[in-house]
Amino acid sequence: MGTFSSKLPFDAKHPDVLALYCSDGRFTNAVEKLAEDLGHARIDTLTIPGGAALVELTSGNLGGIETVRAALTFLIQGHHTKHMLLVAHDGCGYYKHRFPYDSPAAMHRRQLADLKAADRWVRGNHTGVEVRSFFARGAEGRIHFDEVGEGGAA
Ligand SMILES: [Zn+2]
């Protein structure tokens, strides 16, 4: 019981960036740091197991897609979102559970395709929102983000 006061300042203005990524807490702090490195001190977040997998039927299910699309639209319209970050990650439990027979290479391809599809959905439904996609992986004790899709190299 009691009041816990954060040392962080409160800014009543909404961030203009929204990050859609997986709930997996091994990546949470790193995604916030990535956003900061990209110039976004604060972010709106939509986290759900699988993240961008839940935007299209390829890897999502009807209920999940409906929830995620409605939440994206709610946030983008309500908070006047200008930028979106989509992050998929290596070793994602959602993908392992849904596609247990995929090889690691096939899984990686599937996740990249889902990022691309989510990017397309956002751009197609919310004109003017800039989307950047990343694939996160742990290696040598650090988290690395490889940018993928339109804005990136791969
Ligand atoms: Zn995950």
Side-chain angles (χ1 to χ4, degrees), residues 37-67:
D37 289 347
L38 296 174
H40 307 292
R42 300 174 306 144
I43 55 174
D44 279 343
T45 66
L46 177 52
T47 62
I48 189 164
L54 279 290
V55 176
E56 292 290 354
L57 265 182
T58 328
S59 298
N61 55 65
L62 276 178
I65 288 168
E66 199 176 342
T67 302

PDB file of all heavy atoms in Angstrom, residues 37-67:
ATOM      1  N   ASP A  37      16.852   5.663 -29.505  1.00  0.00           N
ATOM      2  CA  ASP A  37      17.960   5.870 -30.446  1.00  0.00           C
ATOM      3  C   ASP A  37      17.456   6.414 -31.784  1.00  0.00           C
ATOM      4  O   ASP A  37      18.192   7.077 -32.507  1.00  0.00           O
ATOM      5  CB  ASP A  37      18.724   4.558 -30.673  1.00  0.00           C
ATOM      6  CG  ASP A  37      19.531   4.143 -29.446  1.00  0.00           C
ATOM      7  OD1 ASP A  37      19.691   4.984 -28.527  1.00  0.00           O
ATOM      8  OD2 ASP A  37      19.984   2.993 -29.396  1.00  0.00           O
ATOM      9  N   LEU A  38      16.206   6.114 -32.113  1.00  0.00           N
ATOM     10  CA  LEU A  38      15.629   6.599 -33.367  1.00  0.00           C
ATOM     11  C   LEU A  38      14.990   7.980 -33.190  1.00  0.00           C
ATOM     12  O   LEU A  38      14.374   8.516 -34.106  1.00  0.00           O
ATOM     13  CB  LEU A  38      14.575   5.608 -33.884  1.00  0.00           C
ATOM     14  CG  LEU A  38      15.098   4.221 -34.277  1.00  0.00           C
ATOM     15  CD1 LEU A  38      13.936   3.292 -34.621  1.00  0.00           C
ATOM     16  CD2 LEU A  38      16.069   4.317 -35.448  1.00  0.00           C
ATOM     17  N   GLY A  39      15.121   8.533 -31.994  1.00  0.00           N
ATOM     18  CA  GLY A  39      14.625   9.888 -31.758  1.00  0.00           C
ATOM     19  C   GLY A  39      13.277   9.976 -31.066  1.00  0.00           C
ATOM     20  O   GLY A  39      12.674  11.039 -31.002  1.00  0.00           O
ATOM     21  N   HIS A  40      12.794   8.844 -30.557  1.00  0.00           N
ATOM     22  CA  HIS A  40      11.494   8.838 -29.888  1.00  0.00           C
ATOM     23  C   HIS A  40      11.693   8.588 -28.384  1.00  0.00           C
ATOM     24  O   HIS A  40      11.885   7.452 -27.956  1.00  0.00           O
ATOM     25  CB  HIS A  40      10.587   7.751 -30.465  1.00  0.00           C
ATOM     26  CG  HIS A  40      10.453   7.815 -31.954  1.00  0.00           C
ATOM     27  ND1 HIS A  40       9.800   8.847 -32.602  1.00  0.00           N
ATOM     28  CD2 HIS A  40      10.902   6.997 -32.928  1.00  0.00           C
ATOM     29  CE1 HIS A  40       9.850   8.645 -33.914  1.00  0.00           C
ATOM     30  NE2 HIS A  40      10.513   7.533 -34.135  1.00  0.00           N
ATOM     31  N   ALA A  41      11.651   9.661 -27.613  1.00  0.00           N
ATOM     32  CA  ALA A  41      11.909   9.564 -26.173  1.00  0.00           C
ATOM     33  C   ALA A  41      10.826   8.757 -25.460  1.00  0.00           C
ATOM     34  O   ALA A  41      11.093   8.082 -24.467  1.00  0.00           O
ATOM     35  CB  ALA A  41      12.009  10.960 -25.575  1.00  0.00           C
ATOM     36  N   ARG A  42       9.592   8.847 -25.970  1.00  0.00           N
ATOM     37  CA  ARG A  42       8.487   8.095 -25.368  1.00  0.00           C
ATOM     38  C   ARG A  42       7.704   7.421 -26.489  1.00  0.00           C
ATOM     39  O   ARG A  42       7.631   7.939 -27.600  1.00  0.00           O
ATOM     40  CB  ARG A  42       7.543   9.032 -24.595  1.00  0.00           C
ATOM     41  CG  ARG A  42       8.218   9.786 -23.447  1.00  0.00           C
ATOM     42  CD  ARG A  42       7.245  10.777 -22.839  1.00  0.00           C
ATOM     43  NE  ARG A  42       6.691  11.649 -23.871  1.00  0.00           N
ATOM     44  CZ  ARG A  42       5.440  12.096 -23.878  1.00  0.00           C
ATOM     45  NH1 ARG A  42       4.600  11.781 -22.917  1.00  0.00           N
ATOM     46  NH2 ARG A  42       5.012  12.867 -24.851  1.00  0.00           N
ATOM     47  N   ILE A  43       7.101   6.273 -26.195  1.00  0.00           N
ATOM     48  CA  ILE A  43       6.350   5.569 -27.231  1.00  0.00           C
ATOM     49  C   ILE A  43       5.002   5.070 -26.690  1.00  0.00           C
ATOM     50  O   ILE A  43       4.879   4.735 -25.518  1.00  0.00           O
ATOM     51  CB  ILE A  43       7.127   4.347 -27.790  1.00  0.00           C
ATOM     52  CG1 ILE A  43       7.543   3.381 -26.663  1.00  0.00           C
ATOM     53  CG2 ILE A  43       8.340   4.805 -28.573  1.00  0.00           C
ATOM     54  CD1 ILE A  43       8.177   2.085 -27.170  1.00  0.00           C
ATOM     55  N   ASP A  44       4.029   5.057 -27.594  1.00  0.00           N
ATOM     56  CA  ASP A  44       2.824   4.279 -27.322  1.00  0.00           C
ATOM     57  C   ASP A  44       3.189   2.840 -27.666  1.00  0.00           C
ATOM     58  O   ASP A  44       3.979   2.603 -28.583  1.00  0.00           O
ATOM     59  CB  ASP A  44       1.673   4.707 -28.241  1.00  0.00           C
ATOM     60  CG  ASP A  44       0.971   5.968 -27.757  1.00  0.00           C
ATOM     61  OD1 ASP A  44       1.147   6.339 -26.578  1.00  0.00           O
ATOM     62  OD2 ASP A  44       0.245   6.574 -28.566  1.00  0.00           O
ATOM     63  N   THR A  45       2.630   1.882 -26.941  1.00  0.00           N
ATOM     64  CA  THR A  45       2.955   0.489 -27.248  1.00  0.00           C
ATOM     65  C   THR A  45       1.681  -0.336 -27.420  1.00  0.00           C
ATOM     66  O   THR A  45       0.665  -0.085 -26.775  1.00  0.00           O
ATOM     67  CB  THR A  45       3.781  -0.180 -26.128  1.00  0.00           C
ATOM     68  OG1 THR A  45       2.980  -0.285 -24.955  1.00  0.00           O
ATOM     69  CG2 THR A  45       5.049   0.608 -25.836  1.00  0.00           C
ATOM     70  N   LEU A  46       1.772  -1.287 -28.305  1.00  0.00           N
ATOM     71  CA  LEU A  46       0.760  -2.320 -28.398  1.00  0.00           C
ATOM     72  C   LEU A  46       1.540  -3.626 -28.371  1.00  0.00           C
ATOM     73  O   LEU A  46       2.232  -3.972 -29.330  1.00  0.00           O
ATOM     74  CB  LEU A  46      -0.055  -2.189 -29.688  1.00  0.00           C
ATOM     75  CG  LEU A  46      -1.114  -3.271 -29.936  1.00  0.00           C
ATOM     76  CD1 LEU A  46      -2.039  -3.431 -28.735  1.00  0.00           C
ATOM     77  CD2 LEU A  46      -1.937  -2.933 -31.161  1.00  0.00           C
ATOM     78  N   THR A  47       1.502  -4.281 -27.233  1.00  0.00           N
ATOM     79  CA  THR A  47       2.233  -5.542 -27.123  1.00  0.00           C
ATOM     80  C   THR A  47       1.245  -6.680 -26.923  1.00  0.00           C
ATOM     81  O   THR A  47       0.296  -6.583 -26.149  1.00  0.00           O
ATOM     82  CB  THR A  47       3.240  -5.547 -25.951  1.00  0.00           C
ATOM     83  OG1 THR A  47       2.535  -5.391 -24.730  1.00  0.00           O
ATOM     84  CG2 THR A  47       4.272  -4.446 -26.097  1.00  0.00           C
ATOM     85  N   ILE A  48       1.488  -7.731 -27.668  1.00  0.00           N
ATOM     86  CA  ILE A  48       0.653  -8.926 -27.619  1.00  0.00           C
ATOM     87  C   ILE A  48       1.545 -10.065 -28.120  1.00  0.00           C
ATOM     88  O   ILE A  48       2.420  -9.827 -28.963  1.00  0.00           O
ATOM     89  CB  ILE A  48      -0.612  -8.724 -28.499  1.00  0.00           C
ATOM     90  CG1 ILE A  48      -1.615  -9.854 -28.315  1.00  0.00           C
ATOM     91  CG2 ILE A  48      -0.262  -8.558 -29.978  1.00  0.00           C
ATOM     92  CD1 ILE A  48      -3.016  -9.522 -28.852  1.00  0.00           C
ATOM     93  N   PRO A  49       1.382 -11.282 -27.592  1.00  0.00           N
ATOM     94  CA  PRO A  49       2.233 -12.367 -28.084  1.00  0.00           C
ATOM     95  C   PRO A  49       2.157 -12.469 -29.610  1.00  0.00           C
ATOM     96  O   PRO A  49       1.076 -12.563 -30.166  1.00  0.00           O
ATOM     97  CB  PRO A  49       1.644 -13.609 -27.408  1.00  0.00           C
ATOM     98  CG  PRO A  49       1.044 -13.086 -26.144  1.00  0.00           C
ATOM     99  CD  PRO A  49       0.495 -11.729 -26.507  1.00  0.00           C
ATOM    100  N   GLY A  50       3.321 -12.427 -30.252  1.00  0.00           N
ATOM    101  CA  GLY A  50       3.371 -12.496 -31.717  1.00  0.00           C
ATOM    102  C   GLY A  50       3.452 -11.135 -32.383  1.00  0.00           C
ATOM    103  O   GLY A  50       3.877 -11.035 -33.524  1.00  0.00           O
ATOM    104  N   GLY A  51       3.007 -10.099 -31.717  1.00  0.00           N
ATOM    105  CA  GLY A  51       3.087  -8.736 -32.262  1.00  0.00           C
ATOM    106  C   GLY A  51       2.470  -8.620 -33.646  1.00  0.00           C
ATOM    107  O   GLY A  51       1.274  -8.871 -33.837  1.00  0.00           O
ATOM    108  N   ALA A  52       3.303  -8.275 -34.625  1.00  0.00           N
ATOM    109  CA  ALA A  52       2.836  -8.017 -35.992  1.00  0.00           C
ATOM    110  C   ALA A  52       2.207  -9.238 -36.660  1.00  0.00           C
ATOM    111  O   ALA A  52       1.543  -9.114 -37.685  1.00  0.00           O
ATOM    112  CB  ALA A  52       3.983  -7.489 -36.849  1.00  0.00           C
ATOM    113  N   ALA A  53       2.405 -10.419 -36.075  1.00  0.00           N
ATOM    114  CA  ALA A  53       1.777 -11.633 -36.614  1.00  0.00           C
ATOM    115  C   ALA A  53       0.259 -11.525 -36.594  1.00  0.00           C
ATOM    116  O   ALA A  53      -0.442 -12.192 -37.358  1.00  0.00           O
ATOM    117  CB  ALA A  53       2.200 -12.852 -35.784  1.00  0.00           C
ATOM    118  N   LEU A  54      -0.242 -10.654 -35.707  1.00  0.00           N
ATOM    119  CA  LEU A  54      -1.684 -10.568 -35.487  1.00  0.00           C
ATOM    120  C   LEU A  54      -2.380  -9.536 -36.381  1.00  0.00           C
ATOM    121  O   LEU A  54      -3.524  -9.179 -36.126  1.00  0.00           O
ATOM    122  CB  LEU A  54      -1.978 -10.226 -34.016  1.00  0.00           C
ATOM    123  CG  LEU A  54      -1.953 -11.342 -32.967  1.00  0.00           C
ATOM    124  CD1 LEU A  54      -3.129 -12.295 -33.154  1.00  0.00           C
ATOM    125  CD2 LEU A  54      -0.669 -12.114 -32.973  1.00  0.00           C
ATOM    126  N   VAL A  55      -1.681  -9.073 -37.417  1.00  0.00           N
ATOM    127  CA  VAL A  55      -2.303  -8.071 -38.289  1.00  0.00           C
ATOM    128  C   VAL A  55      -2.971  -8.732 -39.498  1.00  0.00           C
ATOM    129  O   VAL A  55      -3.962  -8.246 -40.018  1.00  0.00           O
ATOM    130  CB  VAL A  55      -1.275  -7.002 -38.733  1.00  0.00           C
ATOM    131  CG1 VAL A  55      -1.886  -6.024 -39.715  1.00  0.00           C
ATOM    132  CG2 VAL A  55      -0.737  -6.248 -37.513  1.00  0.00           C
ATOM    133  N   GLU A  56      -2.423  -9.857 -39.952  1.00  0.00           N
ATOM    134  CA  GLU A  56      -2.993 -10.552 -41.109  1.00  0.00           C
ATOM    135  C   GLU A  56      -3.277 -12.016 -40.778  1.00  0.00           C
ATOM    136  O   GLU A  56      -2.678 -12.588 -39.867  1.00  0.00           O
ATOM    137  CB  GLU A  56      -2.024 -10.481 -42.301  1.00  0.00           C
ATOM    138  CG  GLU A  56      -1.844  -9.088 -42.885  1.00  0.00           C
ATOM    139  CD  GLU A  56      -3.077  -8.565 -43.634  1.00  0.00           C
ATOM    140  OE1 GLU A  56      -4.059  -9.328 -43.805  1.00  0.00           O
ATOM    141  OE2 GLU A  56      -3.044  -7.387 -44.032  1.00  0.00           O
ATOM    142  N   LEU A  57      -4.153 -12.624 -41.575  1.00  0.00           N
ATOM    143  CA  LEU A  57      -4.576 -14.014 -41.331  1.00  0.00           C
ATOM    144  C   LEU A  57      -3.458 -15.045 -41.532  1.00  0.00           C
ATOM    145  O   LEU A  57      -3.533 -16.142 -40.988  1.00  0.00           O
ATOM    146  CB  LEU A  57      -5.736 -14.374 -42.256  1.00  0.00           C
ATOM    147  CG  LEU A  57      -7.129 -14.208 -41.665  1.00  0.00           C
ATOM    148  CD1 LEU A  57      -8.179 -14.639 -42.682  1.00  0.00           C
ATOM    149  CD2 LEU A  57      -7.293 -15.025 -40.378  1.00  0.00           C
ATOM    150  N   THR A  58      -2.432 -14.694 -42.293  1.00  0.00           N
ATOM    151  CA  THR A  58      -1.342 -15.622 -42.569  1.00  0.00           C
ATOM    152  C   THR A  58      -0.855 -16.306 -41.283  1.00  0.00           C
ATOM    153  O   THR A  58      -0.707 -17.517 -41.231  1.00  0.00           O
ATOM    154  CB  THR A  58      -0.148 -14.867 -43.212  1.00  0.00           C
ATOM    155  OG1 THR A  58      -0.660 -13.796 -43.988  1.00  0.00           O
ATOM    156  CG2 THR A  58       0.682 -15.790 -44.042  1.00  0.00           C
ATOM    157  N   SER A  59      -0.596 -15.503 -40.247  1.00  0.00           N
ATOM    158  CA  SER A  59      -0.103 -16.050 -38.983  1.00  0.00           C
ATOM    159  C   SER A  59      -1.006 -15.725 -37.803  1.00  0.00           C
ATOM    160  O   SER A  59      -0.749 -16.162 -36.691  1.00  0.00           O
ATOM    161  CB  SER A  59       1.309 -15.523 -38.683  1.00  0.00           C
ATOM    162  OG  SER A  59       2.209 -15.928 -39.687  1.00  0.00           O
ATOM    163  N   GLY A  60      -2.051 -14.968 -38.048  1.00  0.00           N
ATOM    164  CA  GLY A  60      -2.954 -14.589 -36.966  1.00  0.00           C
ATOM    165  C   GLY A  60      -4.228 -15.414 -36.999  1.00  0.00           C
ATOM    166  O   GLY A  60      -4.372 -16.333 -37.803  1.00  0.00           O
ATOM    167  N   ASN A  61      -5.136 -15.113 -36.096  1.00  0.00           N
ATOM    168  CA  ASN A  61      -6.457 -15.743 -36.141  1.00  0.00           C
ATOM    169  C   ASN A  61      -7.472 -14.612 -36.119  1.00  0.00           C
ATOM    170  O   ASN A  61      -7.142 -13.479 -35.756  1.00  0.00           O
ATOM    171  CB  ASN A  61      -6.643 -16.683 -34.954  1.00  0.00           C
ATOM    172  CG  ASN A  61      -6.398 -15.973 -33.642  1.00  0.00           C
ATOM    173  OD1 ASN A  61      -7.139 -15.070 -33.272  1.00  0.00           O
ATOM    174  ND2 ASN A  61      -5.350 -16.354 -32.935  1.00  0.00           N
ATOM    175  N   LEU A  62      -8.704 -14.929 -36.506  1.00  0.00           N
ATOM    176  CA  LEU A  62      -9.705 -13.871 -36.676  1.00  0.00           C
ATOM    177  C   LEU A  62      -9.868 -12.961 -35.455  1.00  0.00           C
ATOM    178  O   LEU A  62      -9.875 -11.749 -35.575  1.00  0.00           O
ATOM    179  CB  LEU A  62     -11.055 -14.481 -37.044  1.00  0.00           C
ATOM    180  CG  LEU A  62     -11.251 -14.784 -38.533  1.00  0.00           C
ATOM    181  CD1 LEU A  62     -12.605 -15.442 -38.760  1.00  0.00           C
ATOM    182  CD2 LEU A  62     -11.129 -13.505 -39.369  1.00  0.00           C
ATOM    183  N   GLY A  63      -9.965 -13.591 -34.269  1.00  0.00           N
ATOM    184  CA  GLY A  63     -10.165 -12.813 -33.047  1.00  0.00           C
ATOM    185  C   GLY A  63      -8.993 -11.890 -32.772  1.00  0.00           C
ATOM    186  O   GLY A  63      -9.165 -10.724 -32.420  1.00  0.00           O
ATOM    187  N   GLY A  64      -7.790 -12.444 -32.930  1.00  0.00           N
ATOM    188  CA  GLY A  64      -6.580 -11.667 -32.685  1.00  0.00           C
ATOM    189  C   GLY A  64      -6.453 -10.508 -33.638  1.00  0.00           C
ATOM    190  O   GLY A  64      -6.119  -9.386 -33.239  1.00  0.00           O
ATOM    191  N   ILE A  65      -6.726 -10.781 -34.905  1.00  0.00           N
ATOM    192  CA  ILE A  65      -6.618  -9.748 -35.931  1.00  0.00           C
ATOM    193  C   ILE A  65      -7.592  -8.610 -35.663  1.00  0.00           C
ATOM    194  O   ILE A  65      -7.243  -7.435 -35.739  1.00  0.00           O
ATOM    195  CB  ILE A  65      -6.874 -10.356 -37.325  1.00  0.00           C
ATOM    196  CG1 ILE A  65      -5.679 -11.215 -37.727  1.00  0.00           C
ATOM    197  CG2 ILE A  65      -7.119  -9.286 -38.367  1.00  0.00           C
ATOM    198  CD1 ILE A  65      -5.959 -12.065 -38.934  1.00  0.00           C
ATOM    199  N   GLU A  66      -8.822  -8.986 -35.317  1.00  0.00           N
ATOM    200  CA  GLU A  66      -9.844  -7.982 -35.041  1.00  0.00           C
ATOM    201  C   GLU A  66      -9.402  -7.081 -33.878  1.00  0.00           C
ATOM    202  O   GLU A  66      -9.502  -5.860 -33.946  1.00  0.00           O
ATOM    203  CB  GLU A  66     -11.158  -8.693 -34.698  1.00  0.00           C
ATOM    204  CG  GLU A  66     -12.366  -7.820 -34.847  1.00  0.00           C
ATOM    205  CD  GLU A  66     -13.658  -8.596 -34.588  1.00  0.00           C
ATOM    206  OE1 GLU A  66     -13.616  -9.845 -34.636  1.00  0.00           O
ATOM    207  OE2 GLU A  66     -14.673  -7.959 -34.328  1.00  0.00           O
ATOM    208  N   THR A  67      -8.873  -7.707 -32.815  1.00  0.00           N
ATOM    209  CA  THR A  67      -8.432  -6.960 -31.633  1.00  0.00           C
ATOM    210  C   THR A  67      -7.279  -6.023 -31.978  1.00  0.00           C
ATOM    211  O   THR A  67      -7.301  -4.835 -31.633  1.00  0.00           O
ATOM    212  CB  THR A  67      -7.967  -7.939 -30.534  1.00  0.00           C
ATOM    213  OG1 THR A  67      -9.054  -8.809 -30.221  1.00  0.00           O
ATOM    214  CG2 THR A  67      -7.521  -7.208 -29.285  1.00  0.00           C
TER     215      THR A  67
END
